Structures are given as C-alpha cells and as structure tokens.
Amino acid sequence: NDFDGARKVFQDLLVRQPANAEAIYGLGSVDRYQGRWIDALANYRAAIALSAGTTTWAMAQHIATMSGRVGKARISARTESG
C-alpha cells in the first residue's frame, strides 16, 4: 500500500479545499493505517466537525476506536516513563 502517496493526495487536496471533510477523513485513515493514532483521532474529529451533523456510522465507529487506542497509548507512555 502506498500510504505516503495517499497522504500526499489528501494533503494536496486540502491545500485547495481546506474544509473538505472527506479529504480530512481520508488523511485520518492514512494515519490510522500507519499507527499514528493521535493524528488519526484529530483528523477524524475535524472531519466530523466539518460534516455539520452528517456523521456516518463509519466515522463514528472510527472515533470510538481511535479514542480507545489513544487512551491506551497514553497510559502505556506514562507507565514506561515511570
């Protein structure tokens, strides 16, 4: 999979259309597949905010999943830094 290429496509689109919720959501999906949970969650939340109440089930499910993973990552980081 060409995640770096996909990231560039979404970023280029966002330069021209900064409020494009689908592009932001796509960028969040790239982040998710690359294990960048905090970035993914931020992008998913931004996409939902721009969607003005038209959030799809898929978006809502990703937010719930990412929220859990980000929380676990933060707990793990605190435990490791001890």
Side-chain angles (χ1 to χ4, degrees), residues 31 35-44 66 69-71 73-74:
D31 289 331
R36 300 167 54 159
W37 308 116
I38 294 172
D39 293 334
L41 181 58
N43 282 317
Y44 286 143
M66 292 299 101
R69 289 185 178 164
V70 168
R74 286 183 177 154

Side-chain angles (χ1 to χ4, degrees), residues 2 13 21-22 35 40 45 50 58 76 78:
D2 184 13
L13 179 58
E22 291 180 5
R45 284 183 174 161
L50 288 169
S76 178
R78 277 189 235 135

Side-chain angles (χ1 to χ4, degrees):
N1 295 331
D2 184 13
F3 294 118
D4 292 331
R7 177 178 304 284
K8 181 163 178 25
V9 168
F10 289 125
Q11 288 172 332
D12 289 348
L13 179 58
L14 288 168
V15 167
R16 294 187 308 276
Q17 299 175 17
N20 186 316
E22 291 180 5
I24 295 170
Y25 182 83
L27 194 55
S29 294
V30 171
D31 289 331
R32 180 173 61 100
Y33 285 111
Q34 291 184 320
R36 300 167 54 159
W37 308 116
I38 294 172
D39 293 334
L41 181 58
N43 282 317
Y44 286 143
R45 284 183 174 161
I48 287 173
L50 288 169
S51 297
T54 59
T55 303
T56 65
W57 171 248
M59 282 186 174
Q61 186 176 16
H62 283 289
I63 288 291
T65 301
M66 292 299 101
S67 293
R69 289 185 178 164
V70 168
K72 288 177 185 175
R74 286 183 177 154
I75 291 169
S76 178
R78 277 189 235 135
T79 303
E80 290 173 6
S81 64

